[in-house]
Amino acid sequence: QLRAAPARRAPFLKCAAEPRQARKAHWAERVRLCLGTPLRRGPMRFAFAVMAAAAAAARAEGLGPGARSATPVVAATWRFGEIAVHAASEVLEAGGSALDAVERGITAVEEDDQEQYFVGYGGLPNADGVMEFDAAVMDHNSRYGAVMGLRGTFHAASAARLVLERSPHNVFVGEGASELAMAHGLSEEPTLSTAAAAEYEEWRRTRDSSQGEHPHDTVGVICLDAQGRLACGTSTSGWKFKAPGRVGDSPLIGSGLYCDGNVGAAVATGDGEEIMRTCLSFLVVELMRSGRSPHEACLEGIRRLRAIVSRGEGAAEAADEGGRSSMHERLTVGVVAMGRGGDVGAASTLGPRNTHRGLPFFPVACWRGGEGEFRVQGEDPNEEVTGDG
């Protein structure tokens, strides 16, 4: 009887071995598909190959190595960025991706015509009275899509995302941007508001340039989702009554925005021609890569921008609170950055002698999941803005 026992157990062992072999064959095929190479023999090689296949799958989903859970965070430029922050936070609270949140947040500003004047339907036209929009988005893996000189729809951020996801190219301009947007579901719509049309007619009648500096704001949004993925985006209708075809920094990779999910993201706003000269957003992300905090990186980025502007052609002295740029009476530039862990920093050229909309600092709208509150903070990430400014 004792000698017979192994014979009785043999069928069970054989049955147990068959699923194991099937599982091994299944994973071997997964490895071959993910890595493009057949599985070599040996248990350790098999284990390493399975881990490599899992990493490849994570990369395909945009999680990358070191995928982790995170507390969702949103940051946006200027006080009217609250509009974007509220909309983006709803997406993140519902479990949406950082890129979904960026698009939704910017769209909320593009659709608003009361709280801001240089984005979407609330924007102002070019010198011919035509609305032209610029926008860009970047995701965790540094994929980039942008539209420039978009006409016929003010949903420029959605058009930029269509470029990112539906095209092998990175940038579409003018008529080509409009055609791509309409071909993929965006509808042609009125883009010039009644208030903007009236302001344009008044400007055309008087061509009055004696009113001094006008604000020129871009909405820039950075989001971190619960899976630890970063994304950022920008949108603007550009400089008030700009020359037709003029494009600022907002949709340009490295200038208006930059995102590297392993490091952080940054968005810039203000005098576009000066921001372009320094590739400000890329510079700030690279400073974070070298170990600076988001706030420190933004401060150093602004310091370098001031130095470049001060020695540039057509620029005058660079005072501590601003200085002149080659196109504007006062240099107005702000930059916001977010690290891969969700910490936020900002800096600007503003100060007591160089205010913007009456403020001597650069306001940043923020929201962090779990805190249940929205706030507008100054350039110091620990300083909360109060009052009506």
Side-chain angles (χ1 to χ4, degrees):
Q1 290 178 348
L2 291 176
R3 286 192 297 271
R8 287 196 297 272
R9 288 197 297 271
F12 169 78
L13 293 174
K14 183 178 179 182
C15 290
E18 286 175 349
R20 185 168 62 249
Q21 292 169 352
R23 287 196 298 272
K24 188 171 181 178
H26 166 76
W27 279 106
E29 179 63 12
R30 289 288 301 274
V31 170
R32 186 189 68 78
L33 291 174
C34 288
L35 303 183
T37 59
L39 177 67
R40 297 182 178 181
R41 293 181 178 275
M44 290 303 294
R45 286 176 177 171
F46 174 75
F48 284 131
V50 169
M51 287 189 287
R59 285 193 299 272
E61 294 176 4
L63 299 178
R68 64 200 186 283
S69 61
T71 299
V73 183
V74 185
T77 55
W78 305 115
R79 179 175 284 280
F80 66 74
E82 285 184 280
I83 299 169
V85 169
H86 276 276
S89 68
E90 293 175 355
V91 174
L92 295 178
E93 283 189 312
S97 72
L99 189 57
D100 288 339
V102 165
E103 181 186 6
R104 182 67 197 101
I106 293 176
T107 297
V109 181
E110 291 172 336
E111 292 176 346
D112 176 84
D113 65 348
Q114 301 298 319
E115 300 297 328
Q116 51 74 38
Y117 312 99
F118 297 91
V119 181
Y121 192 64
L124 290 163
N126 65 19
D128 289 340
V130 177
M131 295 298 298
E132 293 182 324
F133 304 98
D134 306 324
V137 293
M138 287 192 75
D139 73 1
H140 189 81
N141 295 318
S142 299
R143 294 191 305 158
Y144 162 68
V147 291
M148 304 177 193
L150 175 72
R151 297 184 179 189
T153 176
F154 55 80
H155 288 94
S158 295
R161 186 172 181 180
L162 287 172
V163 174
L164 185 150
E165 295 183 333
R166 305 289 182 88
S167 167
H169 310 298
N170 289 334
V171 180
F172 278 76
V173 302
E175 186 178 346
S178 300
E179 289 178 355
L180 180 137
M182 306 307 169
H184 289 91
L186 292 184
S187 301
E188 190 166 358
E189 58 195 343
T191 58
L192 183 63
S193 69
T194 302
E199 188 167 348
Y200 169 74
E201 289 300 328
E202 177 64 18
W203 172 81
R204 190 177 67 164
R205 184 179 64 82
T206 63
R207 296 282 172 164
D208 183 8
S209 59
S210 64
Q211 300 177 16
E213 285 288 286
H214 298 284
H216 37 281
D217 305 338
T218 297
V219 63
V221 180
I222 308 174
C223 292
L224 176 72
D225 64 26
Q227 287 71 47
R229 296 171 297 198
L230 280 165
C232 63
T234 57
S235 180
T236 185
S237 58
W239 198 13
K240 182 178 183 179
F241 311 139
K242 63 190 177 185
R246 179 263 182 184
V247 174
D249 68 289
S250 301
L252 302 183
I253 188 170
S255 292
L257 76 168
Y258 196 76
C259 181
D260 182 335
N262 292 320
V263 180
V267 291
T269 181
D271 299 344
E273 277 66 22
E274 315 304 353
I275 292 170
M276 284 186 266
R277 292 169 63 188
T278 55
C279 293
L280 182 58
S281 293
F282 179 75
L283 170 60
V284 168
V285 172
E286 289 306 295
L287 288 167
M288 288 194 288
R289 191 189 306 278
S290 69
R292 307 284 183 96
S293 71
H295 186 52
E296 292 168 341
C298 289
L299 286 173
E300 175 62 16
I302 291 296
R303 187 194 69 79
R304 293 197 197 180
L305 179 139
R306 276 185 170 140
I308 289 172
V309 170
S310 69
R311 69 172 185 259
E313 229 177 55
E317 60 178 338
D320 287 342
E321 292 94 12
R324 300 172 70 90
S325 78
S326 57
M327 290 189 64
H328 303 280
E329 281 296 314
R330 287 288 179 176
L331 179 62
T332 302
V333 173
V335 61
V336 184
M338 186 184 296
R340 66 192 298 265
D343 43 330
V344 176
S348 79
T349 61
L350 301 181
R353 288 187 290 160
N354 182 31
T355 62
H356 182 78
R357 296 186 187 271
L359 296 178
F361 56 84
F362 175 41
V364 179
C366 294
W367 171 85
R368 185 176 297 273
E371 293 183 357
E373 64 179 21
F374 300 83
R375 66 175 185 169
V376 177
Q377 65 186 41
E379 296 168 34
D380 182 338
N382 298 312
E383 175 189 358
E384 187 164 351
V385 175
T386 58
D388 298 327

